[in-house]
């Protein structure tokens, strides 16, 4: 008879009977009684009253009975801690039993009893079991250390168990090695700062030896551990890859994905010219293809991981397009994922095959899938230029089917094709216009309106078509309303005489009858543009549009690199880093791929920093942003103190160094503050033909300007405070740095009808402590229609508070009429100081000293300068070249700059002669600065 009989009893007075049976002299009766107790416990009955009687049954040689009693103990020890201590003696005795199974059972159970009082008694038996002659006992004890660490971390460290665990990595038995690695990984995750898994080539060799002989879960632990190792050079990386490759043919998909993760990570260090690199690419494809023959849920996980792999290295699966073709019985989530990967793998070689397949999908019954398939045809057209014509004719065939949702998706993607290939496929517009009445989805209506507006001069009845949309203007979605407004303004600029009434109608609908602020603002902008300067309106509204890029949904490169390190985990399925979905972020470590190295690079490359480099001084954090509006409203707008900024007290000076990297002590004292007010007040030189440009683009892009005395780039003035928001006062300005001093060059224009006097200015607290170094001096009253230019000297000894974005500056200006507030973004390069050149040894040491996760990489595109010109241009804005090397035909500039608050930023600029794209790697102790330094590089190099 099976054990199910124990679960069927419903007798009353059962506990009393069980108590009697547990104390019986007959072994069989005792065993039956314990089984009944466990059965009751399993179905949720409270049998804790029998605790002392069950514990008495521990004194037995019967392994089955012992297991049952231990099971009971694990369950009830938490609620009966005082009773549980009674069992300790038996545990200690069992840990010395001649039978290794009983020794392991005892130590496993002790690790599962989470009672503090028992924990201290556990140490001695655990120490013996960790050094037991039987590997089964040792592997069980290794896991027990991780459990004990979870209960009482301090105790484990004091008792030296972590060192014993590290020694087990060198054990002769592969299962012991795997469990020791698993336990250390678990402990390291909860203490990211501790360097528990201190791997070196010797220990890696032992792990690789154990890899071939342990169980599949042991292999996964070892492979995950290997993925966290940083080989010292490409030869070691290749050697590890060779020994991990056989795991790709394992039956367990988790082992395969862990092996893929290790190989993807170490391939970064291999030169693409190596024969082995090509061999490895070939070996990676079959296991990934095999994963797709599993059940749908596993397929989906595999496809999400393959999606990342294809974005990183499309060459691995470029010949495997057919396996991603959709099967009729695939679930929708698998179909959509396969479709995504098909587009990523689409190339000139396989596009005919892909298009035929996509056209087939577009006739399926599943609406979501059909929509995605039609979009995919458009994405193929944008990605593979040679196929664009075939894609367009395929889309036209689909439009002829007159299936509503197919037509609508086709129109949305054709709009993108027009953007990518202007003046090429506009002949299809007539066909699109025929389907105008059937469009009922906002995105399709908006796309059609955009096409009519953009090509109004080619459509005879464009005004009638747009007028038909205008009838139900208020019922349309915001997306359609905005598009309609723009399209009618475009139409008016192209055919002004015929459409004056139409444009007035849409402007009045947008500005007077609408309560949507976006729509109203756009309406007012167009209205003012058209009424004040039609030529400017034409330049703005009918400006040439940039071509759209082929892949808009690629994962951002640094995030992709991080996700590659998490292949085979939940992060690779969500396509999000763990800290985005793990509650509290406990134990989440930021990972990144190793820097790509080539064997020809000299060992002095700053990239090959040793793993054990000291972690230097950590910068202090800037205070968090508080109630900014409140701060500005409470400003005391009296004139600022006009003493020399360097005479600031030591307390103020301390405040400036809140972001400081702590490197100044290494380099010797340096002057953080701005020079004295008398120098700062020097007038700016006259601007020679500064080009006029859109204020908004200058503010964000800093796209054009002229040099000053020191050659540092100056953006043209932009309107910071428009007259309509400041009762007639218009303020334009820019920032300059000359001979070590920062100025805010202002242009004040009075567009009101009364005289303006009593000007004063004050800044809110900001990230770098920028503050006026002198009062705002407007010497004569500002009459109506008068403009005055003022250069306001600034220093960096004001109050510091971290802003969002970092270079945001909030300003209050007062005059006899009122107080006005505005904010602007200052270009970071005005804060680059003149003594920012590091010597070579210091540069190398600092680069190694800054943690790898603080490194950020950026692309600077469309920069036609050669290396010499780029270096000179950057030097004129205080970005200094420390060293220059040529590696495999690439020029590498190693550069340093220093901000006014003492933060150092180190840079590596890679320039391939003849290639207008530069690669910029930045390292800094305050990584939030990197993005803005990159913007400064872009600005300086392109102007």
């Amino acid at each position: 008879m099976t054990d199910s009989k124990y679960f069927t009893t419903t007798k009353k007075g059962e506990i009393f009977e069980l108590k009697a049976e547990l104390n019986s002299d007959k072994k069989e009766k005792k065993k039956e009684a314990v089984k009944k107790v466990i059965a009751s416990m399993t179905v949720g009955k409270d049998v804790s009253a029998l605790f002392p009687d069950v514990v008495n049954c521990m004194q037995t040689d019967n392994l089955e009975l012992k297991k049952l009693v231990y099971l009971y103990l694990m369950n009830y020890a938490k609620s009966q801690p005082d009773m549980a201590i009674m069992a300790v003696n038996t545990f200690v005795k069992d840990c010395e039993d001649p039978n290794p199974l009983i020794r392991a059972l005892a130590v496993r159970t002790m690790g599962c009893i989470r009672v503090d009082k028992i924990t201290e008694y556990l140490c001695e038996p655990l120490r013996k079991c960790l050094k037991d002659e039987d590997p089964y006992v040792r592997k069980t004890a290794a896991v027990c250390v991780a459990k004990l660490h979870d209960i009482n971390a301090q105790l484990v460290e004091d008792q030296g168990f972590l060192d014993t665990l590290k020694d087990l990595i060198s054990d002769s038995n592969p299962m012991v090695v795997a469990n020791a690695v698993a336990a250390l990984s678990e402990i390291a995750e909860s203490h990211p700062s501790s360097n528990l898994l201190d791997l070196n080539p010797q220990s890696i060799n032992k792990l690789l030896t154990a890899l071939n002989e342990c169980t599949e879960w042991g292999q996964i632990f070892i492979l995950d551990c290997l993925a966290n190792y940083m080989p010292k050079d490409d030869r070691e990386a290749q050697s590890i890859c060779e020994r991990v490759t056989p795991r790709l043919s394992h039956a367990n998909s988790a082992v395969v994905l862990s092996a893929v993760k290790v190989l993807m990570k170490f391939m970064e260090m291999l030169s693409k010219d190596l024969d082995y690199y090509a061999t490895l690419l070939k070996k990676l494809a079959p296991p990934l293809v095999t994963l797709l023959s599993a059940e749908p849920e596993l397929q989906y996980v595999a496809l999400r991981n393959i999606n990342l792999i294809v974005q990183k290295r499309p060459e691995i699966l470029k010949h495997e397009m057919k396996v991603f073709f959709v099967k009729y019985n695939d679930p929708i989530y698998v179909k959509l994922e396969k479709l995504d990967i098909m587009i990523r793998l689409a190339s000139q070689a396989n596009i005919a095959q892909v298009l035929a397949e996509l056209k087939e999908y577009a006739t399926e019954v599943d609406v979501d899938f059909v929509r995605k398939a039609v979009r995919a045809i458009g994405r193929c057209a944008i990605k593979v230029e040679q196929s664009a014509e075939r894609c367009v004719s395929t889309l036209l065939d689909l439009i002829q089917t007159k299936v509503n949702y197919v037509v609508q998706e086709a129109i949305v993607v054709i709009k993108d094709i027009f953007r990518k290939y202007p003046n090429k496929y506009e002949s299809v517009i007539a066909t699109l216009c025929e389907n105008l009445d059937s469009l009922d989805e906002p995105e399709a209506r908006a796309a059609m309106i955009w096409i009519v507006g953009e090509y109004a001069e080619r459509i005879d009845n464009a005004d009638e078509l747009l007028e038909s949309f205008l009838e139900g203007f208020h019922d349309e979605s915001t997306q359609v309303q905005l598009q309609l407004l723009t399209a009618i303004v475009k139409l008016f600029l192209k055919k002004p005489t015929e459409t004056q009434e139409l444009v007035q109608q849409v402007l009045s609908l947008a500005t007077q009858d609408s309560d949507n602020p976006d729509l109203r603002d756009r309406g007012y902008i167009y209205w003012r543009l058209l009424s004040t300067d039609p030529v400017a309106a034409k330049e703005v509204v009918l400006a040439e549009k940039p071509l759209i890029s082929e892949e808009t949904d690629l994962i951002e490169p640094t995030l992709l690199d991080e996700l590659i390190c998490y292949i085979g985990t939940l992060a690779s399925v969500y396509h999000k880093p763990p800290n985005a979905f793990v509650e509290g972020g406990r134990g989440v470590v930021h990972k990144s791929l190793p820097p790509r190295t080539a064997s020809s690079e000299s060992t002095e490359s700053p990239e090959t920093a040793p793993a054990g480099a000291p972690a230097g001084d950590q910068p202090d954090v800037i205070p968090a942003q508080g109630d900014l509006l409140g701060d500005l409203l409470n400003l005391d707008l009296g004139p600022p103190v006009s003493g020399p900024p360097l005479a600031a007290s030591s307390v103020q000076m301390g405040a400036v160094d809140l972001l400081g990297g702590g490197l100044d002590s290494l380099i010797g004292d340096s002057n953080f503050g701005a020079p004295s007010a008398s120098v700062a007040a020097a007038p700016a030189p006259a601007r020679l033909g500064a080009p006029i440009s859109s204020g908004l683009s200058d503010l964000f892009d800093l796209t054009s300007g002229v040099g000053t005395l020191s050659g540092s780039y100056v953006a043209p003035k932009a309107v910071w405070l428009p007259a309509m928001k400041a009762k007639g006062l218009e303020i334009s300005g820019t920032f300059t740095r000359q001979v070590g001093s920062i100025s805010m060059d202002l242009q004040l224009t009075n567009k009101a009808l009364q005289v303006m006097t009593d000007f004063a200015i004050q800044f809110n607290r900001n990230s770098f402590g920028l503050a006026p170094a002198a009062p705002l001096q407007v010497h004569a009253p500002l009459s109506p229609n008068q403009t005055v230019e003022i250069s306001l000297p600034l220093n960096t000894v004001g109050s510091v508070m971290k802003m969002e974005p970092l270079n945001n500056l909030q300003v209050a200006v007062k005059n006899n009429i009122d107080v006005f507030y505005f904010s602007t973004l200052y270009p970071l390069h005005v804060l680059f100081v003149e003594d920012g050149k590091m010597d070579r040894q210091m540069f190398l040491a600092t680069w190694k000293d800054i943690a790898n996760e603080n490194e950020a990489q950026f692309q600077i595109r469309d920069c036609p300068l050669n290396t010499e010109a780029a270096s000179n241009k950057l030097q004129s804005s205080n970005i200094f070249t420390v060293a220059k090397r040529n590696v495999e035909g690439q020029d590498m500039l190693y550069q340093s700059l220093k901000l006014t608050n003492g933060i150092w930023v180190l840079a590596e600029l890679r320039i391939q002669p003849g290639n207008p794209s530069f690669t910029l790697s930045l390292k800094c102790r305050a990584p939030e600065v990197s993005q803005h330094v990159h913007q400064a590089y872009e600005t300086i190099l392109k102007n």
Side-chain angles (χ1 to χ4, degrees), residues 214-233:
C214 54
T215 65
E216 50 197 25
W217 293 110
Q219 292 182 27
I220 292 165
F221 283 124
I222 290 176
L223 287 167
D224 287 350
C225 177
L226 287 172
N228 294 329
Y229 175 63
M230 184 69 74
K232 62 179 187 296
D233 56 26

Side-chain angles (χ1 to χ4, degrees), residues 379-557:
R379 279 173 63 188
C380 287
I382 288 164
K383 186 176 180 192
V384 185
E385 190 168 343
Q386 295 78 359
S387 75
E389 202 153 326
R390 295 175 69 164
C391 293
V392 171
S393 67
T394 306
L395 288 168
L396 287 175
D397 291 348
L398 291 172
I399 288 175
Q400 296 308 333
T401 63
K402 300 289 182 195
V403 178
N404 192 314
Y405 54 86
V406 175
V407 172
Q408 308 211 53
E409 285 297 329
I411 285 174
V412 172
V413 296
I414 285 175
K415 177 204 75 174
D416 290 339
I417 294 172
F418 285 168
R419 285 283 310 273
K420 175 75 176 173
Y421 308 112
N423 305 322
K424 217 167 176 188
Y425 301 110
E426 281 74 11
S427 54
V428 307
I429 291 175
T431 316
L432 302 184
C433 291
E434 290 166 16
N435 294 281
L436 232 148
D437 301 334
S438 65
L439 306 181
D440 53 14
E441 289 169 17
E443 198 177 358
R445 288 173 77 83
M448 192 66 228
I449 291 166
W450 182 87
I451 292 169
V452 174
E454 188 66 16
Y455 301 104
E457 69 278 13
R458 304 181 189 205
I459 304 171
D460 299 336
N461 60 340
D463 49 345
E464 289 170 28
L465 295 177
L466 292 176
E467 202 167 352
S468 67
F469 282 105
L470 205 56
E471 287 159 11
F473 186 77
H474 289 303
D475 303 328
E476 300 284 4
S477 70
T478 307
Q479 184 183 7
V480 177
Q481 290 176 332
L482 288 166
Q483 206 55 267
L484 193 53
L485 172 62
T486 304
I488 290 176
V489 171
K490 283 180 186 172
L491 177 66
F492 172 70
L493 290 167
K494 291 173 181 178
K495 302 178 179 177
T497 47
E498 304 146 44
T499 52
Q500 200 161 349
E501 209 173 297
L502 190 62
V503 81
Q504 281 176 338
Q505 191 184 346
V506 76
L507 287 173
S508 111
L509 282 170
T511 54
Q512 288 161 26
D513 305 347
S514 169
D515 53 5
N516 182 319
D518 290 342
L519 187 63
R520 260 205 327 265
D521 286 356
R522 192 182 289 193
Y524 278 126
I525 287 172
Y526 285 153
W527 201 314
R528 292 210 173 87
L529 266 173
L530 293 169
S531 57
T532 54
D533 191 348
V535 178
K538 213 164 189 168
E539 281 174 14
V540 171
V541 181
L542 303 179
E544 203 169 306
K545 286 157 200 65
L547 299 182
I548 58 174
S549 71
E550 55 185 53
E551 290 284 8
T552 49
D553 61 340
L554 286 175
I555 294 174
E556 189 264 325

Side-chain angles (χ1 to χ4, degrees), residues 170 250 254 272 322 329 332 364 369 389 432 447 488-489 498 514 581 606 619 625 628 709 725 754 758 842 844 931:
S170 311
H250 201 285
K272 289 192 175 183
K322 278 195 172 162
N329 58 350
I332 183 69
E364 290 264 346
F369 181 52
E389 202 153 326
L432 302 184
I488 290 176
V489 171
E498 304 146 44
S514 169
F581 60 87
Q625 192 167 343
L628 300 182
L709 290 175
K725 287 192 177 176
Q754 65 188 102
D758 305 333
M842 177 61 69
L844 195 64
Q931 179 62 44

Side-chain angles (χ1 to χ4, degrees), residues 731-749:
I731 300 180
S732 308
T734 187
F735 294 88
T736 61
R737 183 180 187 91
Q738 302 164 35
V739 209
S741 63
I742 307 168
S743 312
M744 182 193 254
D745 291 353
L746 296 168
Q747 181 175 300
L748 309 181
T749 304

